[in-house]
């Protein structure tokens, strides 16, 4: 996993990973439903509503799956965050620094969430997975969780 700060864990049960994955799925769906005024959010919500399984994959498989990821959720989250970003805010100049912490835009969004003025903490389960050393990727209509 690229980045300077990578989470690790010796053992995490599949049950715990699935629970975090299901929370991630539900929280993202709720976020997109809450912002149905954006066309991209509606598309993402529809997609998320079709994802019914969380798959735990073994080491290295997640990198292969990453090549087939479904971009709709990622792009919708980008659009939503962009809509709520004040580019004139001085802290905006640190945006790439937040990205560089883990070379992961979702971690960057999680760390900057309070500045967007959006409700809730929908990326918390994703961050928990990251702290444990796991990645989560939407691909082929499923959510995959694995160690890079």
């Amino acid at each position: 996993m690229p980045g300077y700060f990578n989470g690790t864990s010796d053992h995490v049960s599949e049950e715990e990973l699935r629970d975090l994955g299901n929370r991630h799925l539900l929280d993202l769906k709720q976020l997109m439903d809450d912002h149905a005024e954006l066309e991209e959010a509606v598309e993402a919500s529809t997609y998320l509503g079709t994802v019914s399984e969380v798959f735990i994959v073994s080491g290295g498989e997640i990198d292969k799956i990453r090549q087939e990821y479904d971009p709709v959720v990622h792009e919708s989250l980008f659009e939503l965050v962009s809509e709520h970003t004040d580019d004139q805010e001085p802290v905006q100049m640190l945006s790439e620094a937040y990205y560089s912490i883990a070379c992961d835009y979702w971690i960057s969004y999680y760390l900057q969430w309070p500045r967007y003025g959006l409700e809730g903490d929908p990326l918390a389960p994703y961050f928990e997975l990251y702290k444990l050393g796991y990645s989560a990727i939407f691909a082929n209509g499923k959510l995959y969780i694995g160690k890079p």
Side-chain angles (χ1 to χ4, degrees), residues 28-36 41 44-45 48 73 76-77:
L28 283 174
K29 175 116 174 58
Q30 184 63 56
L31 175 67
M32 296 303 163
D33 287 346
D34 290 347
H35 295 279
S45 177
L48 292 166
V73 179
S76 298
L77 185 59

Side-chain angles (χ1 to χ4, degrees), residues 1 5 35 66 69 82 110 114 117 120 128-129 131 134 138:
M1 176 181 284
F5 305 99
H35 295 279
R66 192 180 313 276
Y69 92 103
S82 295
Y110 171 78
E128 290 302 314
L129 286 166
K131 287 190 328 186
Y134 288 83
F138 291 99

Side-chain angles (χ1 to χ4, degrees), residues 24 28 32 40 43-45 47-48 51 69-79 106 138:
H24 180 50
L28 283 174
M32 296 303 163
E40 294 87 355
E43 289 177 39
S45 177
Y47 172 85
L48 292 166
V51 177
Y69 92 103
D70 297 329
V72 65
V73 179
H74 180 81
E75 291 172 358
S76 298
L77 185 59
F78 171 80
E79 289 298 324
W106 290 39
F138 291 99

Side-chain angles (χ1 to χ4, degrees), residues 12-85:
V12 182
S13 72
E14 284 196 15
E15 181 181 344
E16 183 178 354
L17 293 173
R18 273 196 188 78
D19 179 54
L20 285 168
N22 284 320
R23 285 185 29 225
H24 180 50
L25 200 59
L26 291 172
D27 289 355
L28 283 174
K29 175 116 174 58
Q30 184 63 56
L31 175 67
M32 296 303 163
D33 287 346
D34 290 347
H35 295 279
E37 72 277 2
L38 296 174
E39 182 178 331
E40 294 87 355
V42 173
E43 289 177 39
S45 177
T46 301
Y47 172 85
L48 292 166
T50 67
V51 177
S52 59
E53 286 191 76
V54 176
F55 283 90
I56 311 303
V57 296
S58 57
E61 282 186 67
I62 199 81
D63 291 329
K64 293 176 197 166
I65 294 165
R66 192 180 313 276
Q67 303 304 316
E68 303 170 15
Y69 92 103
D70 297 329
V72 65
V73 179
H74 180 81
E75 291 172 358
S76 298
L77 185 59
F78 171 80
E79 289 298 324
L80 180 61
V81 165
S82 295
E83 288 284 323
H84 291 86
T85 298

Side-chain angles (χ1 to χ4, degrees), residues 96-114:
E96 284 303 310
Y98 280 106
Y99 168 79
S100 296
I101 290 170
C103 296
D104 184 323
Y105 284 106
W106 290 39
I107 296 300
S108 174
Y109 300 154
Y110 171 78
L111 295 172
Q112 298 179 79
W113 198 256

